Every structure is written in C-alpha cells, then in structure tokens.
C-alpha cells in the first residue's frame, strides 16, 4: 500500500459533506437587507426609553419596575474587559434601542395578516413561516419533521407558527411580550431567576431594554410534539437587538429548541446583547441549539455584529438534563458562555461548540459547569478554528462544590489554526473541592493536517474545499450533536466562513 | 489589573520596613526595582493572578513566625553527591559550614563593590522582562531588597554541582535572596537547592542559558510545616540550550513557585516539573509562564500534587507561542490526587498561540485514588497501605521522571514514600 | 477446598439482590465450571469471593480450607491462596508490570511468613514463565495492562497466576474477547498449572473454553443460584440446546 492510500480524511467526513461544500458559493449569503418602513424610538438610552419600550409592549407596571431596577443598576456597572477581545469603546448612546416594522403597529392576529415583505424576508433566509413546511435544506428526508418558528425581526416578534397545535399539547410557545401579558404568573416566577437582573453588564442592559424574544413552557410530563425555534434577524441600521428568551421545562418535560441569527452587511458595528434563561425541573430535558451567523464584518474588520450574550440553564430538578450546542461562525465580536448550573442531584449538562473566526473576527466563548448537586455529570467538547487575522479563545469554568460528591466532568478543547497570522487560545478554570469527583480536561492546538489536505487535493479538490472538508471532519463530534436541519446548515456555514482563509 | 491605592500603600509600607542595601553595582537595578514596585503595588487578594492563593502572608510587613522543625529523621537531601556546599542560615551566608565559594567560582552578592561586573547584565534584567504581560511585584521587591545571593558564571562544564543549602534557625526570620547564574555558550551546570531557608522566604533565581548550554536544577523545599515561601525563576534560553528544573515540596503552609521561561533561541528545550505532597494546612501554588519566541523549541510542564486533610493545590500554567515561533512543541500536565474529601485542586492551564505550525496540548485532572486499581493490587495480595503508596508513587512518576540523575530520582522517591508512611490514615 | 453455603448478596447502593442462596463445593485438585446466561450472577460471585467493594453479603458463608473468606480484606484472601483472573484486567498507568508482579509476590510471601524472593531469582522465574505464555520483555516493562491487547491482558493474568501459585483459581470469562489461538494459549497456561493441590473455578458463558480446559464438574447458574450440576456432558448440552431447556426444566 502506498503512503498516500494510508492517509485518511478525518473520520466522519462523508460524500454529502463534500457535495455540500462544493455546492456552496458566494460569501456571506444573508447580507441583503429588507426595505421596510420602520418605527424607531429616539436614539440613546435613558429611563424614558426604558419606559417607552415597556409601554410599546403594553406591559404591566411590575415589568416596568423590573426593567427600571435593571437600568439603574446598569448605570453603576462597568463593561467587562477581561475577555481576549479588542474593540473600540461602544457608545451606548449612539444606538437605537427599539425598532419595529410599521406594519407591525397593530399586531397581526395570525400569520396571514403579517406583512408579505416580512414573510418574504424569512422565506429568503430559508425560514418558512407557513405551517406544514419544513426548514430549508432538508427536503427528501424520510419523515417530514415539523418545526415551530418564532420569528423576531429587529425588536419584535413577527409571528409564531403552530401555536394552536402546540396549545393542544399544553405547550406555550409565544413571544415574551405576549407571555408577560398572558402568562404573568410564569414570567414573574421565572424571569431573572437564572440570570438575575444584576448578573453582568450586558445581561443587565438586556434586562432594562429587551424588546422581545421567545417564551416556552412545557408542562409536566409533556414531550414537546415538535422542535421549537426562534429566528433572529437584525435588519434596521444602528439598532441594537436585545432579545430575551425564557424556557421552562416542568417535571419530566422534553423540548428541543433551535435558534438562528443573521443580519445584513453594514459598515458600522451593531450591538446584540441577548439573554437566554432555561429552567429545568425534575427529570426534564432541554436541548438548545444555536447557529449564530450574524454578519461578521468584511475582510478588513469593517462592520459586523458585536455579540454579547448571556445564556444559562439551571438544572434545578433531580435528574434534569441540558445540552447546549452552538455553531458560532458570525459576528465581529463574540462574547458568550452558555452555562449549566447542575443543582439537582444526578443532573447533567453538556456543551458542544464550534467557533470559527476568520478575517478580523474575534471570539471569546466557552461555558461554565457549576456542579452543586451529587452525582452530577458534565461534558464539554469545544472545537475552535482560527483563520485570517482572527483571534479565537475558549474560556471555561468547571467547578465541583464540596457537596457535589461523585460528580464527573470531561472537557476536550481542540483548536485548529489556518495560517500564521491568527491566534488560538485556551483559558480554562478548574476548581475541584471534593475528592470523589473526577475532572478531566484536555486541550490541543494544531494546524490543519498537511497530509489530509494533500490527500483531498490529490483527489481533485481545490485548497479551499479541502480545508472546509478537513475542518468539517475536525468538528464532526459537535455537528453530530445538532438536529439534522441545523447540522446541514452548519456544515455549509463552516465552508463559507473559511472562504479566503487559504492561499 | 487596576492598581488600587491599597496595593500601592502596601508596597510603600513593605519597602519602608525593609533595610534596602545601598551601594555596589546593583544600586541602579535596585533603584529601578523600587520605582517599578511603587508603580505596580503589591498583589492583592482580588488580583486575577492571585485568584487561588491569598498573598497576604507574603506581602505583609512582618513575617508570620514559623516554628522550627526537626527533620533529622531523614538524611539531608543530596548528601550522597560530590558537590560544592554553600550554606545560608536564615538567609545569611555561613562560611563556617560552607565550602570555599571562590574556589568554585561563586561570588556573593553581599560582597560586591561598585566596579563593573558581568552580573549587571543579569541582575533584575530577566526579572524586569518577566513583568510583562503579567506583573510579579514580589519579584520586583526581591530585586530591590535582596540582601544575599550567589553570582555564578560558567564557561564550560562545571566540575561539581553547586548546592545551596538553606537552614531555618530563627522563628521570625524573613529572608530575601537573589541569585544570578550565567551559562556561557556550551557550558553546563547542575544547581541543587534544599531547605526551608526562613520563616518567610522570597527568592529570585535569574538564569541566562546561552546557546548550547545546559542547566539542571533540582530543589527540595524543606519539610518545615509553618514556613511560607515565594520563589521566582526567570530564565532565558538561547539556541539549542537545555533547561531542566524539578522541585520537590513536602509540607509548608504556603508555597508559591513561579517559573518564567523565555525560549529565545531556536531548538531550545525547557522542562519544568514538580511533585508536591501536603497534609492539612498546606497551600502549594505552581505558577508557570513559558514563552516560545523561536522556532522548533520544546517545553514541558509536569506538575503533580498529592493532597489530604484540607490541603490545597494550585496550578496556573501558560504556554505563550509568539508569532513566528513555528514548530513549537508545548506540553503541559497538571494533576492532583485528592486523598480525602476536604482537599482541593484549583487550576488554570492556559494556551495562547499565535503561530499555526505548532503542537501544543495541556491536560489537567483531579480525582481520588483509583479504587479499581487498588482492588486489583489487593486481589494480588498487596496490602492496602502498600497498594496506596504504590499508586501514589505511580501518580507522581511522570514528574519524578523529569530528574535525569537516577540517584537523585531514587532519593526523591524514597522521601516521598517515607512521607506517605508518616502521613498514613 | 472452597465451600460456599447459602450465599446471599445484594448491591451496596441498591436494593437489587444478585445471589440468592448459592451453594457450591469445589474439592481439592478439581476443576469446576460455572455456566449460565448473562445476568445470572456469575461475575458477582467472582467479585464477592475476591472482596471487591460495592456488594453486601446478607447471608451465608464462603470458606477456603475451612477459613471464612468473606471477613477478609482482598489482600488477605490472596495471601490465603485465592486468585481471580479478571474478566476485565485493570490498567494501572505508572506502575511497571514487573514492579507490580514483584510487589505482589513478595507481599504474599511476607504475609505467609516466607522470605522475599531475591531480584535475580525473581527475574529468572518470571522470564521462564513469561516465555511459555509468549509475553516478551517489552511487555513486562510497560505499565500494568496499559495499551495491552485483549489477548495480552488475559495472558498477563495467567502469568500472575503462575507467579503467585494460588491454590484456588477463579477464571472469570477468561475466554471473552479472545480468538481461538489466543484462547488456546491461555488454556495451555492454565492446564500447565493444574495439579493435585490446586482447584479451579472456571466461569464462562460458552462451552468453547471447556474444550480446552476440561472440567470435572459443570454447574449451571441462573437467577443467583446453582440450578443444576453434572459432568462435562452438561456443558455440551448447553452448547447444543442453549440455556432455555435446562432453565425451563428446573425453574
């Protein structure tokens, strides 16, 4: 056998991937903008703006007070600068905090009443807002899978599909603004219970000004009959997007939740500061998958989204489970650490991440696994890819409290470097305070394997295709954790994100 | 890190209470260090770099008294080796107990005049370089106020290892030693250090390893229970040079060992390793920063800790690969064996990499003794205590394997075994 | 030699009862085989006899030459002459295979009041025994079972058995994961150790190992008890008809 034949493309790269990669063309494909009349609140942030957002959403007094408390707190906080991110000072007064399509002034009662331009926007993104349709890219699968969508356009939710059917199962899936009005007892009980108003600078800002987002409640013993998803689209210029998502899985419930994000190409940076809170009670399970494809800015680092996100799941109940899966390919700046508080005995947290930073992108992302309960388990698999002049940092915390006996953590962090101008960094914190728990952390950094690239190229692929293929293999373990619809999108995103990274 | 007034005040108070030596060719370096320290302040509890180790005992004006400890149940370490012995009692050189330093080519810091000296290129120089990107104020304090130390310059293979022996005879002693070692191209030296030194010990070792030179360093930090120590090694490595350092720590209320290694010549090799065993009131902190600034260099960090009865192990290790440092091979492992539920392991193993053609990895684990392995050994007739000891030594083996001299390695193993026997149950 | 009476065992952390009144006598110099379907409690029996944690004996006894085993620590049982060849031999990184073996041999000798084996003598004996099991010097240098193939691990178990010279050997699913050649090699090693003073208890799911290690007595185990005892023909019956018939007949 010749040496060449012995070289194998990394495990898990299949024909399908090759074809997908080859089929992808063009750069950032969601960079177009929708020409639609918008209603803005005045630029800048003040108590009045907070009041206005609350009023526009028709919120009760308690919600306004909650927001104002957060705003006052935020004024005293300092923007964190510990991440390995380099960006100019953000002028928080030079942003719009509320933007809404004019056609949404009177909220449409059903999807049929939604502005066709908005529907077309999501259609173009491959997110059908018509029921009975599938997400793009999965035609031909054996069993049609239905996914309910809550579409958020700038500051507002434009519509939620499959609401009636979900209602029959007892599942509440609606915008958070609606939930505040319709289900105040649930919102009051759980909002801020995982990410408190004063949690961190960006979460506190979000608490003050969040305009919309999604709300999910899965009742006791219910398996959500379909996957739920939220699709975020930033369209308006100079507008920050601050959505808030709250998911509650009651005892024995199960839900798989998908989140997608895109934004038009713009020369200026736009701010995105979201909060996701998940509450998981006894024996319940939540899977949360994200494909983050905000506009990353151009090759020179002009434009792009500043993405400062706080996501946290509280495994409050015994035997509860959460699984975070994220594919972070977009944004100029990513600051994001989806975390698990493993409070219930025998609870489990998992974090699977692919973070790709190309050109001038900077990502500082990872997770926290806080083990508080007995026999808790966590697993972290992080794959970071750096190309161009990008900087990509994994930052994580695993902590085993004295009472979290017989717990386990396994962490694997791998970094891949493409080119000699980028950086890959690993900053894990490991805190073990009892001896019956076992913690294992492994990290590696290497470059794309030349033998693998050569093998691919000798089979007719150009360098970029070969890189995309090998990188997809490198990420396979995480891609496999995604629901099928997202796995396909993620694979092609990997290829697109790395365009221009070689040669 | 924000420099608060409290940290600046602490630095001023500490400096004011010290009898900073005057005169000699070091005067300028000392003055510079005082100025740097006054700008950075002393570390505080909330500093990121002191996240897991409270520096108060190391920064406060007076040393906390430490009871003297009788370690005569064991022969002194390195006893069987033909070496040059230089003895320091509570930080003060004791010629009566020592071999003649001059005969071995060693000079003493306390006997320096104002004339130009080779060590001017070293004293405080590597320490200053080591202050970025992370400030190490206690090292600056040392440069400013060290009262004693050795200056060693080697131009070929040294005839014998040099052994610095630190005796602790006063319960309130507060010693600050600063050593400079310069290995010229192709030279080779083994430096041995042992003993607790003082109730509180602040030591800096600056080592310049020129092209092709080889430096071996082995130290045992002394079994005094109540001693507190902060040590820094600052090393700069030239092309094809070798640096190997191993530290054995058994006992000690507080030990912070920092190693700041800079690989500046191609094909250099740096290994730094440690085995620490602690029972009860014990905090051991290994903080390592390895910078790869040249091609095809290799670095290894191997740190193992065995902890019981509330002992705390800390590891902060970083591999920084600078742009252009291609073909870097960086390895780092930090592991703790927690023998009971009260013990803790706190670690921050970091990689910061700006070159693509590299192979870097780190691993960190914490856990109890492997019950299945224990049972397997016992099922073969090995008694519980012996099986535990065997597994603990197996756990430490990778660190001990970093000692090249088999006689010393065997001695270290025997000491660890004895320690385990003393601390059974 | 080995006498087990009315042995009841449950899991320590669980209410699950695994052995439910097991009786078994293995005479000196005999080879007994225990066969049974998965989950019948075969491996539990071997673990309980060798003293692994996690099991609670709620009733019954197990004696070796009249001495109660169940009160003893694992190492005391080993010194008394009991040896378990593990189904899944344990990997111990950092401990050399040779060191492991010498520590075990000398610990047992010490426990029996015998003199330790000198390094030279030990080396000579190990080399000889290792050779017959096709274990090379390189394997002896490696850490215990680390990176060993399935066959290497099982051969290493037999080498330990040969070195420790126990009087009562329990082989727990020694054939699992082995191809025919590897199994023959292991069986030859075991057969070489058979003698008048040594007994064997061979635990296996399949009959095939018993073609190579011929038993004197075969027991069928199900639901935590011995349900049938017979000669070597019983194993063939299982081989031809499976467990279902026998179980239907006795339960």
């Amino acid at each position: 056998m010749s040496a060449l034949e012995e070289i194998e493309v990394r495990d898990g790269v299949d024909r399908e991937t090759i074809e997908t990669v080859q089929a992808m063309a063009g750069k950032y494909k969601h960079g177009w903008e929708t020409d639609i009349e918008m209603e803005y609140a005045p630029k800048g942030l003040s108590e009045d703006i907070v009041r206005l957002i609350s009023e526009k959403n028709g919120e009760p007094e308690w919600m306004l007070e909650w927001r104002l408390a957060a705003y006052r707190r935020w004024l005293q906080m300092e923007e964190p600068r510990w991440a390995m991110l380099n960006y100019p000072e953000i002028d928080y007064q030079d942003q719009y905090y509320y933007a809404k399509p004019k056609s949404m002034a009177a909220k449409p009662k059903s999807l049929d009443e939604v502005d066709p331009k908005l529907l077309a926007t999501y259609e173009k993104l491959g997110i059908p807002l018509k029921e009975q349709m599938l997400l793009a890219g999965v035609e031909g699968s054996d069993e049609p899978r239905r996914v309910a969508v809550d579409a958020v356009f700038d500051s507002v939710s434009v519509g939620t599909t499959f609401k009636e059917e979900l209602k029959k199962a007892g599942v509440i899936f609606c915008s958070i603004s609606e939930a505040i009005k319709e289900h105040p007892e649930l919102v009051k009980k759980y909002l801020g219970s995982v990410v408190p108003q004063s949690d961190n600078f960006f979460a506190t800002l979000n608490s003050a000004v969040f305009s919309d987002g999604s709300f999910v409640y899965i009742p006791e013993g219910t398996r959500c009959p379909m996957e739920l998803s939220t699709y975020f689209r930033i369209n308006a210029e100079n507008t920050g997007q601050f959505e808030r998502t709250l998911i509650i899985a009651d005892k024995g419930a199960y839900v798989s939740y998908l989140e997608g994000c895109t934004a038009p190409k713009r020369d200026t940076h736009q701010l995105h500061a979201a909060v996701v809170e998940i509450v998981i009670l006894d024996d319940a399970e939540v899977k949360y998958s994200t494909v983050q494809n905000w506009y990353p800015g151009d090759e020179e680092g002009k434009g792009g989204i500043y993405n400062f996100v706080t996501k946290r799941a509280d495994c409050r109940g015994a035997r509860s489970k959460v699984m975070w899966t994220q594919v972070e390919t977009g944004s100029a700046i990513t600051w994001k650490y989806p975390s698990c508080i493993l409070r219930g005995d025998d609870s489990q947290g998992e974090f699977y991440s692919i973070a790709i930073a190309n050109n001038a992108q900077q990502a500082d992302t990872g997770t926290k696994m806080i083990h508080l309960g007995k026999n808790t388990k966590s697993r972290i698999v992080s794959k970071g890819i750096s190309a161009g002049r990008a900087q990509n940092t994994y930052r994580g915390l695993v902590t085993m409290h004295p009472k979290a006996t017989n717990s386990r953590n396994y962490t694997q962090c791998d970094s891949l470097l493409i080119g000699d101008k980028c950086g890959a960094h690993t900053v894990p914190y490991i805190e073990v305070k009892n001896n019956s728990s076992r913690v294992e952390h492994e990290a590696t950094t290497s470059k794309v394997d030349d033998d693998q690239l050569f093998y691919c190229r000798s089979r007719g692929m150009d360098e970029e295709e070969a890189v995309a293929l090998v990188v997809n293999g490198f990420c396979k373990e995480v891609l496999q954790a995604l629901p099928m619809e997202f796995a396909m999108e993620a694979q092609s995103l990997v290829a697109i994100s790395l365009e221009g990274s070689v040669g | 890190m924000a420099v608060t007034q409290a940290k600046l005040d602490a630095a001023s108070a500490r400096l004011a209470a010290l009898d900073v030596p005057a005169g000699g060719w070091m005067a300028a370096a000392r003055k510079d260090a005082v100025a740097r320290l006054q700008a950075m302040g002393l570390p505080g509890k909330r500093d990121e770099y002191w996240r897991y180790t409270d520096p108060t005992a190391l920064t406060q004006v007076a040393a906390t008294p430490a009871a003297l400890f009788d370690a005569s149940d064991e022969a002194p370490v390195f006893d069987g080796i033909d070496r040059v012995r230089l003895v320091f009692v509570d930080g003060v050189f004791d010629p009566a107990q020592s071999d003649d330093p001059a005969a071995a080519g060693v000079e003493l810091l306390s006997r320096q005049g104002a004339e130009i000296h080779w060590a001017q290129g070293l004293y405080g120089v590597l320490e200053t370089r080591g202050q970025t990107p992370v400030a190490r104020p206690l090292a600056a304090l040392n440069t400013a106020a060290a009262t004693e130390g050795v200056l060693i310059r080697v131009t070929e293979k040294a005839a014998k290892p040099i052994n610095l022996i630190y005796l602790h005879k006063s319960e309130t002693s507060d010693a600050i030693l600063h050593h400079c070692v310069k290995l010229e191209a192709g030279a080779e030296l083994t430096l041995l250090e042992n003993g607790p030194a003082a109730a509180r010990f602040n030591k800096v070792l600056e080592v310049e390893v020129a092209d092709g030179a080889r430096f071996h360093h082995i130290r045992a930090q002394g079994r005094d229970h109540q001693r507190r120590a902060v040590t820094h090694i600052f090393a700069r490595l030239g092309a094809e040079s070798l640096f190997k350092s191993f530290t054995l720590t058994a006992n000690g209320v507080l030990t912070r060992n920092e190693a700041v290694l800079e690989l500046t010549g191609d094909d250099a090799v740096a290994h730094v390793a440690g085995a620490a065993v602690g029972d009860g009131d014990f905090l051991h902190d290994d903080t390592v920063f390895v910078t790869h600034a040249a091609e095809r260099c290799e670095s290894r960090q191997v740190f193992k800790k065995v902890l019981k009865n509330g002992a705390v192990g800390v590891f902060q290790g970083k591999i920084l690969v600078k742009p252009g440092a291609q073909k870097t091979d960086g390895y780092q492992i930090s592991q703790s064996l927690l023998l009971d539920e009260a013990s803790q392991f706190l670690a921050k193993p970091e990689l910061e990499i700006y070159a693509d053609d590299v192979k870097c990895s780190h691993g960190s684990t914490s856990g109890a003794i492997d019950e299945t392995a224990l049972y397997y050994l016992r099922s073969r007739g090995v008694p519980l205590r012996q099986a535990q000891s065997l597994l603990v030594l197996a756990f430490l083996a990778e660190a001990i394997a970093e000692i090249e001299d088999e006689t010393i390695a065997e001695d270290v193993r025997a000491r660890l075994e004895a320690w385990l026997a003393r601390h059974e149950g | 030699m080995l006498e087990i009476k009315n042995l009841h065992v449950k899991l320590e952390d669980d209410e699950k009862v695994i052995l439910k009144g097991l009786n078994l006598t293995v005479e000196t110099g005999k080879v007994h085989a225990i066969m049974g379907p998965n989950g019948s409690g075969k491996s539990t029996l071997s673990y309980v006899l060798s003293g692994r944690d996690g099991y609670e004996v709620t009733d019954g006894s197990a004696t070796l030459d009249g001495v109660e085993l169940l009160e003893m620590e694992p190492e005391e049982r080993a010194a008394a002459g009991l040896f378990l060849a593990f189904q899944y031999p344990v990997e111990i990184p950092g401990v050399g295979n040779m060191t492991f073996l010498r520590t075990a041999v000398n610990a047992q000798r010490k426990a029996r009041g015998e003199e330790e084996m000198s390094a030279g003598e030990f080396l000579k004996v190990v080399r000889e025994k290792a050779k017959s099991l096709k274990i090379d010097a390189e394997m002896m240098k490696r850490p215990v079972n680390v990176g060993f193939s399935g066959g290497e691990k099982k051969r290493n178990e037999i080498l330990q058995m040969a070195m420790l010279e126990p009087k009562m050997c329990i082989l727990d699913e020694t054939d699992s994961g082995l191809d025919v050649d590897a199994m023959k090699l292991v069986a030859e090693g075991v057969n070489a150790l058979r003698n008048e003073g040594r007994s064997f208890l061979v635990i296996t799911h399949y009959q095939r190992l018993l073609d190579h290690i011929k038993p004197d007595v075969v027991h069928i185990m199900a639901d935590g008890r011995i349900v049938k005892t017979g000669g070597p023909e019983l194993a063939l019956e299982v081989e031809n008809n499976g467990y279902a018939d026998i179980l239907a007949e006795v339960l």
Side-chain angles (χ1 to χ4, degrees), chain A residues 388-449:
Chain A
R389 290 170 292 121
Q391 301 300 326
N392 199 340
T393 302
Y394 167 82
R395 185 180 301 276
L397 167 70
V398 173
T399 172
M400 298 280 180
H401 281 244
K403 286 179 179 163
T405 50
N406 291 309
S407 297
R408 295 281 177 273
N409 163 266
Y410 174 75
T411 301
Q412 176 74 48
C413 285
D414 296 317
S415 303
L416 200 63
L417 292 140
I418 303 171
D420 59 3
K421 304 267 184 305
C422 52
H425 320 302
T426 314
V427 189
Y429 293 82
I430 301 160
E431 304 177 355
V432 188
K433 299 181 180 172
N434 72 68
N435 81 322
S436 55
S437 296
R438 177 140 193 94
V439 176
E440 285 178 76
H441 171 99
E442 282 177 50
T444 65
T445 304
S446 54
K447 65 180 266 189
V448 175
D449 189 308

Side-chain angles (χ1 to χ4, degrees), chain C residues 146-191:
Chain C
V146 177
F148 285 27
S149 72
E152 285 173 340
K153 282 183 180 169
K154 297 295 168 77
R155 265 149 49 208
N156 202 30
E157 292 289 289
I158 306 303
L159 174 65
Q160 291 171 20
M161 193 195 285
M163 287 301 298
L164 296 171
E165 302 183 315
K167 53 188 178 190
M168 179 71 230
C169 307
I170 305 169
L171 276 63
D172 186 10
E173 306 263 2
T174 292
D175 53 331
S176 70
L178 297 188
D179 61 26
V180 179
D181 291 335
M183 186 164 65
K184 271 188 189 158
L185 195 63
V186 167
E188 275 166 25
V190 172
N191 287 330

Side-chain angles (χ1 to χ4, degrees), chain A residues 56 211 223 255 309 324 353 394 396 403 455:
Chain A
K56 287 275 178 195
S211 42
R223 196 180 162 87
V255 65
V309 175
W324 294 105
S353 170
Y394 167 82
K403 286 179 179 163
Y455 183 69

Side-chain angles (χ1 to χ4, degrees), chain A residues 53 57 59 67 98 104 107 150-159 174-180 206 209-215 232 241-245 274-275:
Chain A
I53 293 168
N57 284 346
E59 284 172 359
R67 286 175 180 278
Y98 189 81
M104 295 292 292
K107 183 136 188 163
D150 183 28
V152 177
F153 191 87
D154 291 329
S155 301
V156 293
S157 167
V158 298
C174 61
S175 68
I176 191 111
S177 52
E178 199 176 327
I180 289 166
N206 173 288
V209 302
F210 75 85
S211 42
D212 218 338
S214 302
F215 175 84
F232 297 105
Q241 180 151 334
F242 306 91
E243 76 272 1
R244 183 124 194 157
T245 299
V275 172

Side-chain angles (χ1 to χ4, degrees), chain A residues 199-401:
Chain A
D199 192 79
N200 69 69
F201 181 84
F202 297 108
T204 303
L205 174 63
N206 173 288
S207 298
V209 302
F210 75 85
S211 42
D212 218 338
S214 302
F215 175 84
V216 176
Y217 174 78
I218 316 287
E220 190 169 336
T222 303
R223 196 180 162 87
C224 187
M226 64 187 76
E227 279 172 334
L228 305 183
S229 79
T230 300
Y231 205 94
F232 297 105
R233 174 76 178 168
I234 295 180
N235 193 61
E237 211 164 351
N238 294 329
T239 303
Q241 180 151 334
F242 306 91
E243 76 272 1
R244 183 124 194 157
T245 299
L246 175 60
I247 299 174
I248 302 137
D250 212 325
K251 289 178 183 169
Y254 169 85
V255 65
S256 168
Y257 191 91
L258 322 174
E259 174 197 78
C261 335
T262 60
K265 285 186 184 182
R266 301 210 186 275
D267 290 346
T268 50
H269 296 291
Q270 281 180 279
L271 182 64
H272 173 251
V275 172
V276 175
E277 294 181 272
I278 305 180
V279 179
I280 311 170
L281 303 182
D282 290 358
D283 299 295
E285 181 176 358
V286 174
K287 288 183 182 171
Y288 194 106
S289 313
T290 304
V291 172
Q292 185 266 105
N293 186 24
W294 297 120
Y295 178 55
D298 69 6
E299 286 79 354
E300 303 306 315
K302 208 169 181 194
I305 302 291
Y306 284 174
N307 192 33
F308 298 97
V309 175
T310 304
K311 295 186 170 183
R312 197 172 301 153
D314 188 352
C315 285
R316 237 166 250 189
R319 297 167 302 279
S320 55
K321 275 190 203 173
V322 66
M323 177 167 138
W324 294 105
T325 309
Q326 63 172 25
V327 178
E328 301 286 317
T329 63
S331 299
I333 297 284
T334 299
W335 181 102
K336 180 182 172 190
Y337 317 92
S339 305
C340 304
I341 301 171
L342 303 171
R343 200 183 302 274
D345 289 349
D346 301 288
S347 59
Q348 290 183 30
E350 287 173 89
F351 174 77
Y352 294 92
S353 170
I354 298 170
I356 300 182
N358 192 4
N359 298 317
Q361 280 178 275
Q362 299 175 63
D364 193 300
T365 182
T367 185
K368 289 183 190 176
M369 293 290 174
I370 317 283
H371 290 256
L372 302 174
K374 292 183 182 64
N375 310 317
T376 47
K377 287 193 180 62
S378 66
R379 184 180 169 85
I380 298 170
V381 178
S382 163
K383 305 282 182 177
I385 297 115
S386 315
R389 290 170 292 121
Q391 301 300 326
N392 199 340
T393 302
Y394 167 82
R395 185 180 301 276
L397 167 70
V398 173
T399 172
M400 298 280 180
H401 281 244

